[in-house]
Amino acid sequence: LAKLQLRNIYVTDAENAQTFSQYLATGSTAAALGLTAMAIWGMTAGYEAQFIVILMAFGASRCLDNPSEILMGYCQKHERMHWIGLGMMLRGITSLAVVALALLWSGSLALMAAALTMAALARIFLYELPVVRRLSRRLGDVEVLSWQWSWPAVRAITAMGIPLGLVLFLGTLANSLIRMVLEAHHGKEQLAYFGAAAYPLMIGTMAVGALGQTVSPRLARLFKERDPRYWRLLGRMTGLASLMGLGVLGGAYWLGKPVLSLLYTPAYGDYHTEFVIMAAGSLLLFVASVLGFGLTAARRFNQQFLASLFTCTTAALLSWGLIPQGGIRAAAWVYLAVAGIQVVVRLVLLFLARRQNPDASPREAS
């Protein structure tokens, strides 16, 4: 919730209503408040001291995502995607390395979480800040990293970010509700099979997310200018996401059983049907993700929150109504249904956005 999806808001701010430094200040403030909330919750919920240490160390590494995301958002807004790609590779390599070394050396989760935090700090100061400084000098934007904490600007950015932060929170909650109901009625073993089947599908989600991040600044400019190319670009993105989803679905149908057996154990291969159903849900999630980028580019923040609230409520009702009797098969169908609902709702919102902001006439476009 504390992330507020500020990177998406910043890169789609085609009018430059607030400065980069103001977004960075807002993100850093939200991160500090998020970490404070974690500390209060951990200390008042009756957990052991060891758990609180792990919570705070891991929470600190996640809160550092705020300034990191906004710094990379500067490169994204100016369409310097190669630096973002290098940053993502660096994040993956360093995170894996410090986790492996910490666990091999000590076996301590607390030390592992602390190592993640140190790695995140090192990436910010040794890679991300120098990259932004270098790009800003090329662009003649020498004031970009000057600290500008302005209450009116922070309030305006936060007001835009809260709906998108809630969208992120509700999206996570909708997925968690399926798992929680499955575990409550059928135990941890069934939850493990469900989670294992869902995990390989995340690769496609990451790829679609990278696609959406790449074109978001351009989408925002085209929508602001009421350029019909906005809809053509969004349509091409949706088609590409659909093709990727069909590839995942085909792979799950033809290769799902041996893949699950190879990744885990032969027992997981027995859930091939559930894997295929969830792959169909992932196809729809790919499309929904692209449509979400389109809505963010169109600055439809509050509408996205209402759509996510409806989707999360539907996920809760379907989970409580179907999973207790249907088990993991029903959980897979709920996963698919929730993804379909997201597509329909976001298509409706985009249709309304087009009616409210029609394309410019040929004379206006010229």
Side-chain angles (χ1 to χ4, degrees):
L1 177 61
K3 287 182 72 173
L4 302 177
Q5 294 201 48
L6 292 182
R7 176 176 172 177
N8 291 338
I9 297 173
Y10 169 68
V11 300
T12 58
D13 185 3
E15 297 180 350
N16 296 312
Q18 279 83 28
T19 66
F20 171 81
S21 295
Q22 290 167 342
Y23 279 99
L24 187 59
T26 304
S28 301
T29 303
L33 291 174
L35 192 60
T36 302
M38 290 183 201
I40 295 172
W41 174 69
M43 290 185 290
T44 58
Y47 292 108
E48 298 178 357
Q50 183 180 9
F51 173 85
I52 297 174
V53 171
I54 296 171
L55 170 71
M56 294 306 298
F58 186 68
S61 71
R62 295 304 303 270
C63 285
L64 286 171
D65 285 347
N66 268 26
S68 178
E69 285 280 298
I70 297 168
L71 287 167
M72 288 295 94
Y74 186 79
C75 299
Q76 181 183 346
K77 189 165 186 174
H78 296 284
E79 300 192 36
R80 301 304 201 273
M81 303 306 295
H82 58 289
W83 281 338
I84 297 177
L86 289 172
M88 291 176 67
M89 288 189 288
L90 183 64
R91 174 179 293 196
I93 292 169
T94 55
S95 297
L96 178 61
V98 299
V99 166
L101 290 173
L103 290 179
L104 287 172
W105 181 55
S106 68
S108 167
L109 288 176
L111 183 60
M112 179 205 74
L116 279 173
T117 301
M118 297 305 297
L121 281 171
R123 287 194 303 270
I124 288 174
F125 286 101
L126 298 180
Y127 178 76
E128 293 166 358
L129 277 171
V131 162
V132 170
R133 190 175 291 112
R134 180 180 177 183
L135 177 58
S136 65
R137 287 172 179 170
R138 288 185 181 181
L139 299 173
D141 192 5
V142 294
E143 301 293 328
V144 67
L145 289 176
S146 61
W147 185 260
Q148 296 180 13
W149 203 100
S150 165
W151 169 242
V154 170
R155 182 175 58 188
I157 295 170
T158 303
M160 292 185 289
I162 286 176
L164 286 186
L166 289 170
V167 166
L168 204 61
F169 171 75
L170 290 171
T172 304
L173 179 60
N175 187 42
S176 298
L177 283 170
I178 300 173
R179 298 166 184 258
M180 288 189 290
V181 174
L182 180 62
E183 180 186 6
H185 290 273
H186 299 279
K188 289 183 172 61
E189 182 177 350
Q190 291 294 297
L191 175 63
Y193 287 125
F194 180 85
Y199 193 75
L201 302 173
M202 291 176 61
I203 299 173
T205 303
M206 293 170 63
V208 173
L211 169 69
Q213 294 286 2
T214 301
V215 300
S216 286
R218 190 168 302 176
L219 275 175
R221 289 196 298 271
L222 293 175
F223 188 87
K224 176 181 176 292
E225 296 165 1
R226 294 190 295 162
D227 192 319
R229 289 179 294 175
Y230 166 88
W231 300 104
R232 292 198 291 270
L233 178 57
L234 187 60
R236 287 196 294 268
M237 288 173 57
T238 304
L240 182 56
S242 300
L243 288 175
M244 293 171 62
L246 288 172
V248 169
L249 179 58
Y253 181 80
W254 295 108
L255 303 173
K257 188 167 186 175
V259 166
L260 289 175
S261 301
L262 180 64
L263 288 176
Y264 307 109
T265 66
Y268 286 83
D270 295 337
Y271 293 90
H272 173 243
T273 300
E274 288 78 6
F275 186 48
V276 172
I277 296 171
M278 294 171 69
S282 291
L283 188 161
L284 296 175
L285 283 177
F286 295 172
V287 174
S289 178
V290 168
L291 298 178
F293 281 111
L295 286 168
T296 300
R299 316 288 281 179
R300 295 309 195 260
F301 303 143
N302 293 327
Q303 293 92 328
Q304 287 190 73
F305 162 65
L306 293 176
S308 295
L309 183 61
F310 173 76
T311 301
C312 188
T313 303
T314 304
L317 294 174
L318 290 174
S319 297
W320 290 326
L322 299 176
I323 295 175
Q325 297 296 325
I328 190 172
R329 180 71 59 85
W333 282 114
V334 173
Y335 181 88
L336 173 62
V338 170
I341 291 168
Q342 288 188 53
V343 171
V344 172
V345 172
R346 291 179 182 184
L347 280 173
V348 170
L349 291 178
L350 281 169
F351 174 76
L352 294 175
R354 182 161 192 173
R355 290 191 62 183
Q356 294 167 5
N357 191 52
D359 296 339
S361 66
R363 179 175 297 178
E364 290 175 316
S366 63

